Amino acid sequence: MKKTRLLALLTAATMLMGTASSMAEESSHPDTWFSEETVTISVMRDENPSQTIDPNSLKVQTVKEILNIQLDVQTPPKDSYADKKAVLIRTDDMPDIMLLDTSDVRNYARDDMFINLSDYRDKLPHLFALLDSNPSYAMLTVDGSYYSAPTLFRASPHDGALSGQFPVIRMDLLEKNNLAVPTTFDELYETLKALKELYPDCIPLTNRKGGSTTSTRKLLDTMAYSLGSGSTMYYDEDLGGKWVYGPANENFKAVLTYLNKLYSEGLLDPDYASNTVDQWKEKMSSGKALMYFDNSGFASQFQAALNTEDPDAKLSVIPTLTNTLGQTRNYRYDLDHTSQEWVIASSTENLDACLAYLDWCYTDQGADVNGYGKEGVTFEYDENGKPYIKEEILAEIAATGSSTAFYDLQAKYGLGLLDISPYNDTGAQTQMEMYMMDEETRANYEASKEMINSDAGLRVAPLEPSLSAEQTERYKELKTKVEDMVYQEIDKYITGEEPIENYDKVIEAARAAGAEEMEQIYNDAWNAALGN
């Protein structure tokens, strides 16, 4: 009897110890966990064709380990994303967190489709510390409140050269033929003319389609400001510091005149109005085209492709060119990507988890994970506490010989701007690019970096002012009418179907149709935001 009772007591004690141990295991979790129970939140962004997104990447797994938040990653293709997000917003069927552009936020925020983040400052301390540090971010508010979290840049010890829509040319051909690097657009014309004579089967200058815009529009988006105007509404310091609708301004004729000059002499791609991204890439990678005016970041992959056939081929950025109006100016990319904005749907059932995750993304730990992956697996910290991709990871990717190695690296582990990275660190990309370079290429890269960083003609376009509800409605109405009219005319002037002097009629019609009022709306909103 005593033996039976003792056995029962021991059994009970063992069960209690097991229960206590189990409870201890359940409650012993990292201090960073959002909750004991895993919470799943859906996050959606577009998938860029340059970099695939793995919904179960190492990054996603690491987020779960750190926060106990499971990301349900949804990635519609980039080409269909505009339609997809519009349907989801209109039907109020959005994921918990979604990537939108500035126009989306301004179009729908007043309809209570997104959480007003300004109401949750206490739960978003890291995000608002960054937003409050730069007064210009206030341009991203809607009626004074933040309904979105912009994609911001975190400085990295591995930062590369500044980038932008720069002129990139076959420098090896200039050197081979004793052609000076052009410093003005007039000199560029002479250079392209000389290259056409030397290489008659080549296209001196080519371009591409951009996103949802046409190839013609992309050409103007990249070149119009440097040539003296703008492709749409833009801020012009050289006209006294004001917002101007480019195609309805006198200076736009200088843009059309130059492009017509190139087109009429066979120096601009004859397919400029229909080129796709793939056609553009093929022309530059094969050597069929000799120059482009666009994102300079593509030069490295074009050159890698060229070097498989011609080891001496070299694509280089050239300094900002002086236009026919005497201006020396171009835009570089803002290190922040404020037009890429993350919103939380008002319909979410996991608001606190969304707020916790979003704010974590703006911490240094969040930037490390989104930019470099998992500590000990893909990256380590140096003696100064700065993250760096492990050399064996770089070597593994480099071994494939891919011309898009940094995209491959980021796609494999879920890193970088084209994945989910609200606080973006470009260090992994730069490390991978540098690792793939031979000594000569690295020297050219460093020279290009120094040139761009010291180029006095480069500017960052200011953030567009936030309009009131009435201003927004009126501006959208006018813009649709004006741009539909203007952009059905522009190709006629580039190709010479219409003489440039006739464009005065287009300017007059565009201003009468609402371009002048559009400028007034922007300048009123701009001055109000500045307290003028």
Side-chain angles (χ1 to χ4, degrees), residues 8-126:
L9 288 171
L10 288 171
T11 302
T14 302
M15 291 175 65
L16 284 171
M17 289 174 64
T19 302
S21 175
S22 176
M23 289 175 64
E25 287 178 6
E26 289 179 6
S27 61
S28 63
H29 59 72
D31 293 337
T32 53
W33 273 18
F34 168 70
S35 67
E36 294 270 1
E37 185 176 344
T38 301
V39 178
T40 298
I41 60 175
S42 52
V43 182
M44 190 175 87
R45 68 150 301 149
D46 57 319
E47 183 176 67
N48 192 294
S50 296
Q51 181 178 322
T52 58
I53 298 177
D54 179 359
N56 192 38
S57 65
L58 176 66
K59 189 265 291 291
V60 171
Q61 297 172 38
T62 306
V63 170
K64 184 179 179 183
E65 291 176 15
I66 294 173
L67 300 178
N68 205 21
I69 291 175
Q70 177 67 55
L71 301 181
D72 173 16
V73 180
Q74 303 168 18
T75 57
K78 187 175 185 65
D79 286 347
S80 61
Y81 193 63
D83 293 336
K84 177 72 172 179
K85 65 185 178 182
V87 170
L88 293 175
I89 294 171
R90 284 198 302 267
T91 58
D92 197 13
D93 189 27
M94 291 180 286
D96 296 312
I97 296 176
M98 182 163 58
L99 181 64
L100 302 178
D101 59 36
T102 301
S103 62
D104 295 322
V105 177
R106 292 176 177 177
N107 287 340
Y108 297 106
R110 295 186 181 92
D111 297 331
D112 296 324
M113 303 304 296
F114 318 131
I115 293 295
N116 184 341
L117 301 183
S118 293
D119 290 342
Y120 296 93
R121 273 182 166 265
D122 59 327
K123 295 188 176 183
L124 297 164
H126 298 95

Side-chain angles (χ1 to χ4, degrees), residues 230-251:
S231 61
T232 185
M233 189 69 71
Y234 76 105
Y235 188 80
D236 199 319
E237 305 90 333
D238 299 307
L239 291 177
K242 62 181 180 180
W243 290 89
V244 177
Y245 183 70
N249 183 269
E250 175 72 17
N251 286 356

Side-chain angles (χ1 to χ4, degrees), residues 174-223:
L174 299 190
E175 294 170 353
K176 179 180 179 180
N177 295 286
N178 296 316
L179 297 173
V181 176
T183 60
T184 70
F185 276 99
D186 284 340
E187 290 176 6
L188 176 62
Y189 158 76
E190 296 294 344
T191 299
L192 296 179
K193 189 175 178 180
L195 289 173
K196 183 67 175 178
E197 292 173 357
L198 290 164
Y199 308 99
D201 294 332
C202 290
I203 300 168
L205 174 65
T206 192
N207 66 303
R208 61 160 170 154
K209 185 181 185 298
S212 59
T213 65
T214 66
S215 303
T216 297
R217 179 62 180 264
K218 183 63 176 177
L219 177 68
L220 292 167
D221 286 347
T222 59
M223 293 188 67

